[in-house]
Amino acid sequence: MKKRILSLLTAALTLAACTSCSASFRSAKQLTTTQKAPTVSASDSQKQEAAQDYLNFTAGLLQQTFTGSNILLSPLSVADALCLTMEGATGETLVEMETVLGEKETMRSYFSTIRRESGEQLSMADSVWLRDDPALKVKDTFLAIAAEDYQTEIFSAPFDENTRKDINTWVDDKTDGEIQNFIEKIYDEDILYLINTTLFDAKWQKKYENDDIRDCDFTALSGETTQVEMMYSDEHTYLENNFCTGLIKYYTEEKYAFAALLPNEDITIYQLVDRLDSNTLHELINGRISAEVEAGIPVFTGDTRLELTDILPEMGMPLAFSGGADFSDMATYDGGNLYIDRVLHQTRIEVDKQGTKAAAATQVAMTSGIADASFSSLHTVILDRPFVYMIVDMEQEIPVFIGVMTDPA
């Protein structure tokens, strides 16, 4: 196994509201910083550019990871953790990361806005874990930006078995128990971890009654038919383009919504995912139509655990994963250079008659060494075959979660 610098990036998303971490740790000690972060703000045009960059990242991540099985991603969690990591990048490493994620200061301001305006249904938390090693020298400016702009908790720990348990306790607490035992092992070379958690918990605005739920056949990607509990309702927001139709069902307060896209009969789910670029996502969400929709959403749960280590370099940031990476704005280590080694992403979702619970975890660890318009017509959207689904921030018009359901059994 190759040496590590940024090995694990952890982000967690669930539907339950997040509270401040109150767990007692075995070995970790929380640190504070008195350094002030430089003030940044984004203009309206920069915010629009950041949203476009985020949609680019969302579409690319889904297209790179979907292989035909059920999948759920939290691009918000992954992007937030990577943008925190990007705060320590400089030189060509920063250039590549900005190409994939967006301009550093603009994305910092953008994620700060999302945090500030998220409300009670969505909350985010970040932490940085530093190995208690005098050879590791972390930059005060990086810690100040992390603490102020990303509201990061900073911990020093010996990076032993107790540290692994402490990190898992932190993730468990921030995700309301949806992501447990996330970190399976701490490697001897690991030096620094960056972790993001994002929690989502919301009930349907229009609740289902028992007689709204009936058994229905679902034709899986394999062609086999399985029986699911289908939740039927009349909705009022329709999505459509020349290769898919869809619906939006709101959660309480209407800030967030469940969106689903069903490929046309002559379009496969693979083709739908391939065509969901950033412009298409924006046009579908922004161009939503007020119309009557006879809707059917299956009851389903799903779990995903992915290694993104090979995918992110292919998306345009290979230098960050190599011995030539430059994260000197984050930290230096006497033993060698810092770079990203592995990125792990884990998610969980539950959709039922009450609402939706979703959780995601993404971990980045660091080490040192040498790398190897309106219509009045009635539409019907019954999700009884493979479909794409999203949990959408309707104010920002971006997906917080995005996934593909190919077989709910």
Side-chain angles (χ1 to χ4, degrees), residues 280-340:
T280 302
L281 286 172
H282 172 74
E283 289 168 359
L284 282 166
I285 298 171
N286 182 262
R288 54 193 181 274
I289 302 164
S290 294
E292 296 297 316
V293 184
E294 180 183 339
I297 301 174
V299 174
F300 67 91
T301 62
D303 296 272
T304 299
R305 188 176 176 94
L306 292 171
E307 276 276 358
L308 301 179
T309 309
D310 295 330
I311 290 168
L312 291 168
E314 292 179 359
M315 291 177 66
M317 57 170 78
L319 189 57
F321 289 80
S322 74
D326 188 349
F327 286 99
S328 57
D329 278 359
M330 178 187 297
T332 59
Y333 188 71
D334 292 347
N337 200 32
L338 296 181
Y339 61 91
I340 300 176

Side-chain angles (χ1 to χ4, degrees), residues 192-232:
L192 189 155
Y193 295 161
L194 303 102
I195 300 176
N196 165 266
T197 64
T198 308
L199 241 70
F200 177 76
D201 186 3
K203 305 300 182 184
W204 301 121
Q205 183 183 60
K206 182 180 179 182
K207 298 181 179 179
Y208 293 99
E209 303 297 334
N210 288 336
D211 56 3
D212 295 327
I213 304 173
R214 301 186 293 276
D215 290 342
C216 175
D217 286 339
F218 186 100
T219 303
L221 185 60
S222 64
E224 297 182 359
T225 300
T226 185
Q227 198 168 75
V228 300
E229 288 184 291
M230 188 69 71
M231 303 181 292
Y232 293 95

Side-chain angles (χ1 to χ4, degrees), residues 76-125:
L76 181 66
S77 178
V78 177
D80 179 86
L82 285 172
C83 283
L84 175 58
T85 304
M86 183 169 61
E87 292 291 346
T90 188
E92 287 300 314
T93 304
L94 175 60
V95 171
E96 285 189 355
M97 295 188 77
E98 286 186 323
T99 300
V100 176
L101 298 165
E103 197 272 335
K104 180 174 66 175
E105 284 79 11
T106 301
M107 297 310 294
R108 185 196 312 167
S109 177
Y110 184 63
F111 282 117
S112 178
T113 299
I114 292 175
R115 278 184 172 82
R116 186 171 60 252
E117 299 178 356
S118 60
E120 295 183 356
Q121 294 173 331
L122 180 75
S123 60
M124 301 171 69

